[in-house]
Amino acid sequence: MTAKPFDDFRTLLATLPPADAAAETRVRTLFAKADKPKASLGRIEDIATWLAAWSGRAPPAINRPLVAIFAGNHGAVRHAISPRPVSATANAVELCAAGGAAINQICIANDLGLKVFDLALDIPTGDITEEAALDERGCAATMAFGMEAVAGGADLLCLGDLGVGNSTIAASLCAALFGGKGAGWIGPGSGADAAMMARKAEVVDRALAFHGTGLGDPLEALRRVGGREFAAICGAILAARMQKIPVLLDGFVATAAAAVLHRVNSSAIDHCLLASLSPEPGHAKVAERLGLEPLLDLGVSHGEGVGAGLAAGLVKAAALTSSGMAVVVRN
């Protein structure tokens, strides 16, 4: 039988490495022995133990944190589902490259590395209301490209996105994965008015109707009603798992991408935390479905990994708290 492009990813998702239970236990024991009230550091303790479990280091340490932003464009934008022109995606990429974006300043503040990936912005994906966003080979290749995001080494991966109209694509993907109509998943995105919101919901519903039973498989749903940034984020999450790199997810798009992997294997995103909850209604909905509680809730809907970059500072503090306390705790 001829192998299909998704086969390697299905194999990876069926054989994911588990958490390092011994490292997790060592950090929990460390906090229990520390001279402080029990569980007094709240979620800071949970973050530190999560880092230990998924990095295999106890106490954990973060020396090479990386923000990876994936930028894509979508054919469905022709239905006037965003107040921004499609050219705004490339403009945002250029602003990041010039050091003038919000994420650049947050990376400086928290000493984070930054990579921005332009995913064929001059070739938008197919219009999901009448064709698949990507063919299987193209989707699999983009997932493989996303896996290369951590090729240079990292010990914390913060995932973000850029893409005009991609909140509608995220809504379509979530509706395909979890059910429901477009109106239940869409939101204002980058400033949609009531008429535009109605068009967004219609695009989701038309996509669901057009692709029908083809959406039953999560990876098929990804290629049919997702996009390049979604596929690349899926690949990056998988690569991080294989290389023992904990992951912070930023925003609706990254969370929707993670949901694809979760639907294939419910343990596939155990090494991920939700950095920030955006005001987009569908984001809270999918986060609840995945059992993800955000580290931050600052009303940030900016995209470009801003929420993950901010949360990375908190995660770095948790690692330092754990390692600093380990110095004085007698084993």
Side-chain angles (χ1 to χ4, degrees):
M1 184 179 293
T2 303
K4 295 184 177 181
F6 282 147
D7 287 352
D8 288 343
F9 295 104
R10 296 189 196 282
T11 299
L12 281 178
L13 283 162
T15 56
L16 294 170
D20 188 326
E24 180 179 2
T25 298
R26 286 197 296 273
V27 173
R28 290 201 180 280
T29 301
L30 161 68
F31 281 122
K33 290 181 176 181
D35 186 13
K36 67 176 186 60
K38 183 179 179 181
S40 62
L41 289 172
R43 290 193 72 188
I44 294 296
E45 297 185 27
D46 294 335
I47 294 168
T49 54
W50 166 80
L51 279 171
W54 292 108
S55 68
R57 302 171 70 178
I62 297 176
N63 299 311
R64 299 188 67 186
L66 174 67
V67 177
I69 303 172
F70 297 96
N73 278 326
H74 304 272
V77 170
R78 72 185 185 89
H79 297 289
I81 56 174
S82 174
R84 298 185 300 158
V86 70
S87 59
T89 305
N91 292 342
V93 169
E94 291 174 5
L95 187 61
C96 288
I103 189 59
N104 295 103
Q105 321 321 317
I106 290 166
C107 286
I108 292 170
N110 289 322
D111 195 19
L112 312 173
L114 175 63
K115 293 181 180 179
V116 183
F117 299 92
D118 172 339
L119 301 173
L121 294 183
D122 57 333
I123 310 173
T125 56
D127 177 357
I128 63 172
T129 67
E130 57 185 37
E131 61 181 317
L134 298 163
D135 60 24
E136 184 173 339
R137 185 177 301 278
C139 187
T142 307
M143 292 175 72
F145 180 83
M147 296 184 80
E148 294 299 314
V150 294
D155 48 25
L156 178 69
L157 181 63
C158 307
L159 292 173
D161 68 276
L162 287 168
V164 171
N166 67 6
S167 66
T168 301
I169 304 303
S172 300
L173 188 54
C174 287
L177 295 172
F178 300 106
K181 297 288 188 179
W185 287 102
I186 59 95
S190 57
D193 59 17
M196 188 171 284
M197 292 268 284
R199 288 195 295 273
K200 294 177 70 168
E202 182 183 5
V203 163
V204 174
D205 291 339
R206 286 176 60 188
L208 296 177
F210 178 81
H211 295 284
T213 57
L215 300 174
D217 175 80
L219 293 178
E220 274 292 300
L222 172 66
R223 81 163 187 89
R224 288 172 178 264
V225 298
R228 292 189 182 94
E229 68 268 50
F230 295 82
I233 288 170
C234 283
I237 292 171
L238 273 175
R241 178 64 165 265
M242 305 310 291
Q243 296 183 40
K244 295 185 176 180
I245 303 171
V247 172
L248 292 178
L249 302 171
D250 176 71
F252 191 19
V253 169
T255 309
V260 172
L261 303 179
H262 182 272
R263 292 291 282 176
V264 178
N265 181 339
S266 61
S267 69
I269 60 170
D270 287 354
H271 63 304
C272 302
L273 290 183
L274 178 57
S276 177
L277 190 67
S278 76
E280 198 72 5
H283 192 200
K285 194 172 179 178
V286 68
E288 182 179 6
R289 296 291 186 96
L290 299 177
L292 296 173
E293 183 180 355
L295 298 179
L296 303 172
D297 188 359
L298 301 175
V300 174
S301 59
H302 188 67
E304 68 182 36
V306 164
L310 290 168
L314 181 62
V315 175
K316 290 177 70 176
L320 287 170
T321 299
S322 174
S323 59
M325 296 180 77
V327 173
V328 297
V329 171
R330 294 180 179 178
N331 295 315

